[in-house]
Amino acid sequence: MQSLVAVGVRFSCPDGVVPASHTQGQGCTRRLLRLDSVRRRGVLPSRPCRAGHRPYLGTQRRSRLRQPSVRNVAGRAMVQEGWPLWAALSACAAGGQVLEQRTSFGSAVSAPLLSLLLALALSAGGILPVTCPAYDVIWTYTMPMGAALYLLESDLRQLLSAASSTFGAFVIGAVGSVVGTIVAWLVVGTRLGPDGYKVAAALCASYIGGSVNFAAVSQSLGLAPGPLLAASMAADNIAMAAYLTAIMVIPAKNMIDSAHSSSAAAAAAAGGAKSAVEAGSHQHHAQAAHDVMGDIAHGESSADAAVHAVSASVSTTAIAASPTVESIALALAFGVAACAFGEGLAGFVGLSSINLAAMAVVASLFASVGTSINARAGASSSSPFTGSEALGGALMLFFFATIGAGAGSLSALWSTGWLTAFIAIQLSVHLAVIVFGGYVVAGLPMQVVLTASNANVGGPATAAAMAASRGWPHMVRPAMLTGSLGYAVGTGIGCAVSQWLQVL
């Protein structure tokens, strides 16, 4: 059989058309058939070549063999799929939480950031792939499920009765976060690149609720895993830790508001068992919050990781109940239902980007209804979904590990300069607005203002930890309630801000 090179030379011509003299005879017919089969295999161009050009099939064949395939480029990772991949991601998620809980360095850095860094190191070392189907599963299902589980254990109906003043300060702080995002966008927004408005909106949601909202807005706006997302997450955690440490040293008088004083006096006068149990619960929450953060505030992540003891969860009863198989099963079932309803509502109104915001509303409704049913039934636990917050925090750590793996290179950490400047402007404006609006205009106590600001920026656990560590035990429960409200509304506000930024 003649080689492809010989066939190409024999039938090549200036115009790529075979002369009629070549078609006479059986030998030429066989050669034409062989040439046609070569063309069908993609080696010879099907269109006639330009005059003066002679296709050399051997060169074309060799050049095709040298082209690298996408499969080979993606397949350089040591762990690519199956249980080994999930084991590596689980190790990053668990490692970040263990380091936060058991080391002083980890408590200052935070579990989400540590999980991100561990996965980033594995990806840069060729162990984890940059992209794989498992990451899509985490973005599409695991992360929304974790966000839904976060909200199932919080009864937001108690805000107006148990945390009215803190609720007002929290609203002012949320407005300050939105204003700060707009100001920062006008100053340095163009430096963040074409997807900068997505990052800005995610940071705005983070400073109203927490990292759960950062993740939800990122997914809703289509901010794909990569260096930009990893750098944003790293800058977010670092700047937040600095902010929460700064507000810890702002002086504030230790004064209890009139509503709390009245209720405490009534409880002391009654001297009943119920008041004693509630006081024990109050101390329990304060101690649990103090254990989460230690002696200083470490940043939003310790709240948003939410792999704390279940006793730090929001509760209307005296002593937080331990999670059971029933409560976990109910939490999973209603968490999935909240995600499904949220997606259905978003599709019904024709806005797929609000699916997670709709999910947050549905999950909050489930939490309120479940708490009411348990209260009427006289159950030992206020919420039928006890343990859902801790479970949601564990699932969210997988998401942060995926962000790190998707970055693929440690160089992502060196590109946080403009992001840090953006966040500094955001938080400076937020603090100015909440202090002026809450303390100066509304006349709220500084401890209420600072607790609300911590709940905005750090989430419920860091806000409660600050209240406990500064000797404000009466502020622990309002901190938990307002921080949980941020989880419920932060995603929707962040998505709305993304639309405004595109107009500016």
Side-chain angles (χ1 to χ4, degrees), residues 12 14 19 37 46 56-57 119 123 150 153 195 228 339 347 352 381 390 397-398 432 438 471 484:
S12 62
S37 66
S46 58
Y56 183 61
L57 301 186
S123 179
Y150 250 87
E153 211 171 346
D195 287 334
L228 178 60
C339 293
S352 59
S381 173
L397 290 178
F398 279 87
S484 299

Side-chain angles (χ1 to χ4, degrees), residues 147 149-159 166-167 170 208-210 212-213 303-304 312-315 360-361 363-364 367 389 451-452 454-456 458-464 476-491:
L149 291 172
Y150 250 87
L151 297 171
L152 286 178
E153 211 171 346
S154 302
D155 186 6
L156 301 180
R157 297 175 305 167
Q158 304 173 51
L159 274 171
T166 312
F167 171 72
F170 180 88
I208 294 175
V212 174
N213 305 99
D304 297 327
S313 63
V314 178
S315 174
V361 175
S364 299
E389 185 179 352
T451 301
N454 196 317
N456 280 132
T462 56
V476 172
R477 192 179 183 201
M480 298 293 289
L481 289 171
T482 51
S484 299
L485 174 65
Y487 288 149
V489 302
T491 300

Side-chain angles (χ1 to χ4, degrees), residues 38 57 61 66 74 93 109 120 122 127 143 146 176 235 239 250 311 331 342 359 399 441 447-448 464 469 474 501:
V38 170
L57 301 186
R61 181 67 173 260
R66 284 198 301 265
V109 174
L120 178 59
L122 293 181
I127 298 176
M143 188 275 293
I250 296 178
S311 58
M359 174 274 296
F399 170 77
V441 177
Q447 61 176 317
V448 172
S469 63
H474 59 285
L501 295 181

Side-chain angles (χ1 to χ4, degrees), residues 96 99-111 113-114 117 298:
L99 289 174
E100 183 195 60
Q101 293 292 102
R102 303 191 181 186
T103 65
S104 57
F105 169 78
S107 63
V109 174
S110 79
L113 184 56
L114 288 170
L117 293 176
H298 342 154

Side-chain angles (χ1 to χ4, degrees), residues 10 15 124 129 132 142 168 191 196 221 223 227 230 317 343 353 371 403 417 438 446 461 473 479 484 499:
R10 179 166 299 182
D15 295 327
C132 70
T142 305
R191 301 284 187 174
L221 299 180
L223 186 59
T317 56
E343 186 177 33
S353 61
T371 301
I403 294 178
M446 181 58 73
S484 299
Q499 301 298 320

